């Protein structure tokens, strides 16, 4: 019996989004501690966290400011239920989020998927309270990802999930994605956006009477493989939602908190959504927390003497003081460090370090938005993602391609040596993987 931490883990821990049998060949890596952008395993091997531990980490692991805030909070108040009670961290966080977004009412959940569920329920309940009970369906973008609980899956357009769990889910409609890679010769990203918006318009024209909300990931559809689009799409979608009385839900769970260059991605389009979903970076990557922000108008539709007109939703840990305190500390760091400005310079340096990947003959659609980089790899390896991931780990770098799309979404705290390592290891791992492909092809040729 394997008594290592990894061995014990696969016996008793069911790992997420993982075919557990794979761990026979490649056991999970047991992490002992993490500092800044580096993960350190129990044997002392170091891995640069090039995907911010599934897109959650912003200021590096174990940041002293967030750690101090959490330590202090833990001395005082660990948790109290939020129904009938309140506390300073949740109030301060809600005030700050209102100030940053103009959406003045925050409802809390624990994960991204629960934020999606809250936004969908709130939108449909709003229409019911307003005397339009038929408006209870949703529409999303092709390739959209909004989480994996049964309700969130209804607006998540990932074939693998739709096949396995389709019968459990009330599937929503999907309209064309404005993915800029669909540009025809001579078309700009804005042209693609306008073309995609026509698809949305046609759909809303036919179905607005039963539609509560459009949900989308602004600027970058991350799980679809970092599909990027022009902000023009968001402006057109906002105008169409207004025209057809349909809510616009922006899912900023992955793209919020500076990922795309602005604090929130939709701000680059100059629009105001009806709902904003936040999670992942909200606590700087320390604790699970999600929030749905909405407008005075939506809030007012629930404000009544009748309990059934109130929003009927709760999670036991709603507004957990520790998580909220970590989120406040995270927002303080953005201010103190002027992080959006810092990121602009950092992104330039990182882009320069990726020159080798950008120019690689097997790479197409090299793209960047803020602190997100992606490349489509021309490879015939069906298991490219797994092979690349392992090759990068061997070189001390954590990257996990999505299908044949390689991407990087690092924490905002890389120094010059980290950046050099990132650029070199990312390129070397690609060459190693393509070398394996060549060897496999040669073997097949001989056989
Ligand atoms: C990760 C993600 C979610 C789901 O968040 P979980 O915390 O994993 O449930 C929802 N929407 C987007 C855009 C995401 O990237």
């Amino acid at each position: 019996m394997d008594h290592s931490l990894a061995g014990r883990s696969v016996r008793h821990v069911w790992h997420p989004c993982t075919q557990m049998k794979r761990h026979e060949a490649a056991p999970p890596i047991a992490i002992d501690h993490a500092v800044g952008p580096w993960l350190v395993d129990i044997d002392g091997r170091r891995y640069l966290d090039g995907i911010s531990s599934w897109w959650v980490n912003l200021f590096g692991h174990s940041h002293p400011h967030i750690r101090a805030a959490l330590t202090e909070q833990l001395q005082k108040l660990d948790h109290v239920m939020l129904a009938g009670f309140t506390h300073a961290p949740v109030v301060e966080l809600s005030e700050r989020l209102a100030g940053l977004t103009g959406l003045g009412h925050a409802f809390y959940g624990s994960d991204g998927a629960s934020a999606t569920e809250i936004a969908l329920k709130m939108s449909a309940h709003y229409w019911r309270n307003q005397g339009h009970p038929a408006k209870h369906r949703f529409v999303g973008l092709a390739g959209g990802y909004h989480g994996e609980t049964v309700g969130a899956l209804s607006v998540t357009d990932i074939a693998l999930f739709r096949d396995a769990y389709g019968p459990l889910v009330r599937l929503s409609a999907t309209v064309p994605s404005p993915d800029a890679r669909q540009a025809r010769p001579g078309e700009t990203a804005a042209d693609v956006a306008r073309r995609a918006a026509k698809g949305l318009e046609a759909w809303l024209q036919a179905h607005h009477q039963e539609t509560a909300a459009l949900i989308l990931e602004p600027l970058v559809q991350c799980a679809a493989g970092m599909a990027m689009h022009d902000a023009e799409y968001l402006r057109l979608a906002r105008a169409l939602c207004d025209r057809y009385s349909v809510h616009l839900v922006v899912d900023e769970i992955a793209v919020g908190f500076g990922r795309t260059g602005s604090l929130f991605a939709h701000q680059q389009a100059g629009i105001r959504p009806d709902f904003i979903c936040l999670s992942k970076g909200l606590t700087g990557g320390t604790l699970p927390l999600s929030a749905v922000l909405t407008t005075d108008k939506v809030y007012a539709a629930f404000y009544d003497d009748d309990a059934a007109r109130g929003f009927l939703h709760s999670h036991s840990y709603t507004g957990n003081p520790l998580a909220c305190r970590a989120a406040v500390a995270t927002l303080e760091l953005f201010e103190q460090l002027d992080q959006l400005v810092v990121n602009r310079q950092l992104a330039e340096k990182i882009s320069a370090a990726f020159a080798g990947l950008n120019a690689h003959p097997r790479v197409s659609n090299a793209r960047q938005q803020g602190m997100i980089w992606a490349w489509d790899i021309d490879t015939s390896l069906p298991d490219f993602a797994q092979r690349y991931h392992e090759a990068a780990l061997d070189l001390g770098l954590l990257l996990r391609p999505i299908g044949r799309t390689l991407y990087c979404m690092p924490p905002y705290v890389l120094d010059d040596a980290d950046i050099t390592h990132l650029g070199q290891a990312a390129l070397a791992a690609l060459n190693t993987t393509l070398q394996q492909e060549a060897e496999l092809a040669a073997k097949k040729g001989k056989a």
Side-chain angles (χ1 to χ4, degrees):
M1 194 138 84
D2 181 356
H3 292 291
S4 70
L5 207 52
R8 286 159 58 199
S9 188
V10 295
R11 265 198 304 286
H12 294 295
V13 181
W14 201 333
H15 291 261
C17 213
T18 298
Q19 173 46 265
M20 291 299 290
K21 190 163 193 291
R22 283 234 181 107
H23 281 320
E24 284 178 12
I29 296 168
I31 295 300
D32 180 69
H33 64 278
V35 191
W38 290 91
L39 304 167
V40 185
D41 74 14
I42 54 171
D43 298 318
R45 271 189 299 264
R46 285 153 44 90
Y47 309 91
L48 186 71
D49 189 351
I51 56 167
S52 300
S53 287
W54 257 357
W55 320 347
V56 302
N57 189 281
L58 303 182
F59 293 100
H61 295 269
S62 195
H63 191 283
H65 181 68
I66 302 177
R67 214 169 49 201
L70 277 174
T71 309
E72 192 194 59
Q73 185 59 41
L74 196 52
Q75 316 293 328
K76 235 175 139 174
L77 175 66
D78 48 4
H79 184 69
V80 62
M81 62 190 286
L82 200 64
F85 296 87
T86 194
H87 50 81
V90 77
V91 172
E92 194 179 333
L93 177 59
S94 306
E95 286 174 350
R96 278 175 178 267
L97 291 173
L100 291 168
T101 63
L103 272 64
H105 307 276
F107 194 97
Y108 292 92
S110 315
D111 295 283
S114 58
T116 297
E117 306 245 345
I118 289 161
L120 299 184
K121 281 176 72 177
M122 223 180 236
S123 170
H125 199 165
Y126 168 92
W127 293 114
R128 179 185 160 90
N129 282 352
Q130 297 292 79
H132 301 287
K135 284 171 82 74
H136 59 72
R137 301 202 72 98
F138 305 101
V139 56
L141 302 188
Y145 178 93
H146 302 287
E148 297 170 39
T149 53
V150 172
L153 272 181
S154 73
V155 286
T156 286
D157 181 33
I158 306 262
L160 185 67
F161 300 152
R162 290 214 158 174
D163 290 349
Y165 306 114
L168 281 62
V169 173
R170 191 187 72 161
L171 288 179
S172 296
T174 55
V175 290
S177 162
D179 182 351
R181 288 174 297 179
Q182 296 166 19
R184 296 168 188 156
E187 265 190 344
T188 64
D191 292 333
V192 179
R194 284 187 276 271
R195 189 145 48 79
K198 290 222 170 74
L200 173 62
E201 180 171 9
W203 196 88
L204 286 176
Q205 206 166 28
H207 300 283
H208 65 96
Q209 279 163 343
E210 65 260 30
T211 302
L214 164 68
I215 183 167
L216 55 77
E217 299 157 85
L219 295 188
V220 187
Q221 293 183 278
C222 295
M226 304 300 154
M228 300 181 182
H229 59 253
D230 194 275
E232 178 69 3
Y233 186 78
L234 303 175
R235 285 186 284 273
L236 295 170
R238 176 68 277 181
L240 288 168
C241 286
D242 284 342
R243 181 172 349 141
Y244 288 104
S245 291
V246 165
H247 286 140
L248 175 60
V249 181
V250 299
D251 177 348
E252 297 249 7
I253 290 166
V255 294
F257 300 102
R259 256 313 147 194
T260 65
S262 45
L263 188 61
F264 298 110
H266 72 271
Q267 292 170 334
Q268 292 185 40
I271 58 157
R272 198 179 78 137
D274 301 293
F275 297 89
I276 304 174
C277 297
L278 302 174
S279 189
K280 292 204 165 109
L282 177 57
T283 61
T286 54
L287 285 166
L289 179 70
S290 63
V292 175
L293 310 179
T294 193
T295 60
D296 292 346
K297 187 175 175 189
V298 168
Y299 181 74
F302 291 81
Y303 203 81
D304 197 89
D305 292 320
D306 179 2
R309 281 178 69 96
F311 186 49
L312 305 169
H313 192 95
S314 60
H315 295 287
S316 311
Y317 280 100
T318 292
N320 173 259
L322 288 164
C324 289
R325 184 68 192 268
V328 170
T330 298
L331 292 174
E332 285 167 351
L333 280 177
F334 271 100
E335 271 175 28
Q336 286 168 17
L337 305 173
D338 208 0
Q339 194 63 41
L340 296 177
V341 173
V342 168
N343 277 1
R344 252 168 257 154
Q345 290 152 10
L346 186 59
E348 264 177 41
K349 280 190 189 175
I350 296 174
S351 289
F354 284 141
L357 270 180
N358 292 340
H360 197 284
R362 303 283 287 275
V363 163
S364 61
N365 298 312
R367 55 197 181 277
Q368 181 226 347
Q369 175 74 54
M371 291 293 281
I372 305 174
W373 289 261
W375 308 264
D376 297 336
I377 310 299
D378 173 18
T379 171
S380 58
L381 286 170
D383 55 352
F384 168 77
Q386 184 64 23
R387 285 174 182 272
Y388 183 96
H389 173 58
E390 286 169 23
L393 284 175
D394 281 344
L395 295 162
L397 174 63
L398 166 55
L399 289 177
R400 267 171 61 115
I402 299 171
R404 285 165 198 171
T405 294
L406 171 63
Y407 76 92
C408 178
M409 219 201 250
Y412 306 160
V413 290
L414 303 189
D415 65 20
D416 288 352
D418 298 335
I419 292 171
T420 303
H421 174 69
L422 175 62
Q424 287 175 351
L427 179 61
L430 178 61
N431 287 327
T432 303
T433 312
L434 294 174
Q435 180 66 33
Q436 290 172 8
E437 179 188 286
E439 282 162 15
L440 282 170
K443 244 193 241 162
K444 243 196 215 154
K446 267 189 216 138

